[in-house]
Amino acid sequence: MREECGVVGIIQFNPEPHPVPSALRIYYALYALQHRGQESAGIAVHDGKHPEAIKGMGLVPEVFNKDDLVTLKGNVGIGHVRYSTSGDSRIENCQPFIVNYKSGSVSLAHNGNLVNSHDLRSQLEAEGHVFVANSDTEVIAHLLVKELLKHGPVEAVRKVMKQLNGSYSLAIMIDDLLMAVRDPLGFKPLCIGTIDSGFVVASESVAIDTLNGKLVRDVKPGELVIFRNGDVESYQLFDEKYSAHCVFEYVYFARPDSIIDGQLVYKVRERIGERLAREHPVDADMVSPVPDSGITSAIGFSKESKIDYEESLMKNRYIGRTFILPGQAMRETAVRLKMNTIGENIKGKKVILVDDSIVRGTTSRRIIDMVRNAGASEVHARIGSPPIVAPCYLGIDMASRDELIAAHKTIPGVEAVINADSLGYLSIDGLVESIGLDRDDLCMGCLTSAYPVEIPGENVCQRRQLKLHEF
């Protein structure tokens, strides 16, 4: 399972007493969001006259250096870290996207995925719009420019949102005006915070914490927030009875120390582990996580089961971007490079391995085989999510239905493939209760094969009737 993207926006209204420039603050915030995307990174800053940007392939510290950052002058800016869910992995798709037009410029950073991106792009190309990339983010930028030629910022954003089908959390600069937008169902997280000299908007609250800021609140689904003249303006452009927050933000994507839609992710994962222990008890000697995303759930499992928590795997935390090595032997080496067993902790033990999810099953098999080869007498897999039976169309580069092991195998079948003595998935009810939000406010399309928006060829879990606010 690949990670998503992270967005940041910062505006400093009174920067003179504070020597830290906006570009450097964005850099720090992106560093805090590095877990959301390791493919590329970018920062765009507006100096009151025009935007300037630095973008590149790689991790945040690989793309930016101090000399580059000091050249980005301006009190307002946005940033992005990317793992592609739409568009190829190349420099042209790096964000933020900047589109210049006769009245100014639009800079945009996007976390999410549009279901109708291809149709919208075809319409724009027929009207003469020229694209330099193949990302759906550029489609949003062109749509916004088109509407800004006819309307003010609020009405232009409303007109664009009316055309979009899918997930999007956006940090936008229209010239030096900073804006934040969350789609009407709130698929992807987005929050607002204060810093000593202004405001910050970010995909996760950890970015605000890194800047020594204070989390104020989440951007509401369907809300446009504008930061102007030292104030925060809110426009609820759409009202929906229910939301559709992505469950995998809580299971896997978000950092455990983030607060998303009022829920501390750490506590959610701890409750997941506790619930797993109640749903799938097993006689064992130790509870061990698959690091890093299984750690908190393993702690919860250990507390509930009264079985000792002990590490059996150690992760190499200095592995950067994922790389592909040819041949089966080299792939096995790559797994060991990322993770190694602690043989003395394992030998002769019945081990419960707690992980966040199983997608294809190949990685789970390799890890379980490593633990067995290190001397474990039994290995029991406990998974902090229900079986993934369908693809995600809304911002997670997960896998096709054919590649998802749970889509075509029973639980005993998956158990056999991954070579576990037993396998226990968290139930859907257990996941919902662990998250602490109403089931109708969660997107579980990958777990149920029913989606909260219209997707060709797929089922809709319930008809969502968007209420458009007129201005």
Side-chain angles (χ1 to χ4, degrees), residues 11 14 19 70 83-84 97 103 158 196 203 217 220 238 245 292 313 360 391 399 404 407 411 441:
I11 186 163
N14 187 24
V70 297
Y83 204 118
S84 61
F97 270 109
S103 301
R158 191 184 70 87
D196 55 6
S203 291
R217 65 175 178 88
K220 299 173 186 175
F238 288 81
H245 305 310
D292 284 326
L313 297 160
R360 294 174 177 86
L404 294 170
I411 291 178
D441 287 325

Side-chain angles (χ1 to χ4, degrees), residues 87-393:
D88 299 331
S89 176
R90 54 191 178 97
I91 187 68
E92 289 84 359
N93 285 323
C94 292
Q95 298 182 38
F97 270 109
I98 299 175
V99 178
N100 294 304
Y101 66 112
K102 70 176 185 179
S103 301
S105 64
V106 167
S107 306
L108 191 145
H110 171 212
N111 172 208
N113 199 59
L114 299 183
V115 177
N116 62 336
S117 175
H118 178 76
D119 292 341
L120 292 172
R121 182 186 177 112
S122 296
Q123 292 171 17
L124 289 166
E125 287 177 331
E127 295 170 5
H129 290 257
V130 177
F131 291 83
V132 298
N134 62 351
S135 166
D136 55 358
T137 308
E138 191 179 15
V139 172
I140 301 174
H142 277 268
L143 286 172
L144 185 53
V145 165
K146 178 182 173 182
E147 297 300 335
L148 284 169
L149 291 170
K150 299 178 285 186
H151 307 286
V154 176
E155 181 64 11
V157 169
R158 191 184 70 87
K159 293 282 190 182
V160 170
M161 292 177 71
K162 191 175 180 180
Q163 301 174 65
L164 304 181
N165 180 26
S167 64
Y168 50 94
S169 284
L170 307 172
I172 305 170
M173 283 193 305
I174 299 176
D175 295 327
D176 59 354
L177 182 68
L178 178 64
M179 304 164 59
V181 178
R182 197 174 182 190
D183 69 67
L185 295 177
F187 284 102
K188 305 303 174 189
L190 195 63
C191 58
I192 303 166
T194 57
I195 51 177
D196 55 6
S197 56
F199 294 96
V200 56
V201 60
S203 291
E204 293 183 36
S205 62
V206 290
I208 299 170
D209 297 338
T210 298
L211 299 176
N212 198 28
K214 181 181 178 181
L215 174 65
V216 175
R217 65 175 178 88
D218 294 286
V219 177
K220 299 173 186 175
E223 183 184 17
L224 162 66
V225 178
I226 299 178
F227 303 89
R228 180 161 41 194
N229 301 324
D231 292 324
V232 179
E233 303 172 12
S234 170
Y235 301 88
Q236 193 64 44
L237 302 184
F238 288 81
D239 272 344
E240 243 290 349
K241 183 178 179 181
Y242 299 110
S243 302
H245 305 310
C246 173
V247 294
F248 270 92
E249 290 288 347
Y250 301 97
V251 170
Y252 173 76
F253 292 127
R255 264 178 47 170
D257 47 337
S258 284
I259 298 172
I260 294 179
D261 292 305
Q263 304 296 314
L264 176 62
V265 175
Y266 186 97
K267 286 298 182 183
V268 170
R269 292 181 186 165
E270 193 173 44
R271 292 194 293 265
I272 283 173
E274 293 169 353
R275 181 66 179 247
L276 261 178
R278 294 194 295 271
E279 291 185 354
H280 300 286
V282 61
D283 178 28
D285 301 308
M286 61 185 284
V287 178
S288 179
V290 176
D292 284 326
S293 54
I295 290 174
T296 313
S297 294
I299 291 171
F301 196 108
S302 173
K303 285 181 179 179
E304 180 68 21
S305 66
K306 305 297 191 291
I307 300 172
D308 288 344
Y309 173 95
E310 197 166 4
E311 290 180 294
S312 63
L313 297 160
M314 188 58 59
K315 185 176 181 179
N316 182 346
R317 305 185 193 284
Y318 298 94
I319 298 293
R321 286 164 289 170
T322 301
F323 55 90
I324 299 172
L325 297 174
Q328 180 64 26
M330 292 302 286
R331 281 195 290 270
E332 297 292 341
T333 300
V335 172
R336 287 195 171 274
L337 187 60
K338 294 177 182 179
M339 206 175 297
N340 193 30
T341 52
I342 307 172
E344 198 167 312
N345 289 358
I346 299 170
K347 193 171 182 180
K349 302 280 187 69
K350 300 175 184 177
V351 180
I352 299 170
L353 271 184
V354 180
D355 203 356
D356 59 86
S357 59
I358 298 176
V359 182
R360 294 174 177 86
T362 51
T363 300
S364 297
R365 173 65 185 248
R366 289 175 187 143
I367 290 172
I368 289 172
D369 284 348
M370 284 172 61
V371 174
R372 286 194 185 281
N373 292 336
S377 61
E378 296 177 10
V379 182
H380 302 272
R382 294 296 179 265
I383 308 302
S385 67
I388 300 171
V389 297
C392 176
Y393 300 93

Side-chain angles (χ1 to χ4, degrees), residues 47-82:
D47 63 3
K49 297 179 180 178
H50 51 78
E52 294 286 346
I54 297 174
K55 300 188 285 185
M57 305 299 292
L59 302 174
V60 171
E62 296 171 341
V63 173
F64 308 105
N65 60 55
K66 182 179 178 181
D67 292 339
D68 289 335
L69 290 172
V70 297
T71 65
L72 294 178
K73 305 291 186 181
N75 300 335
V76 57
I78 60 175
H80 189 267
V81 287
R82 181 175 191 260

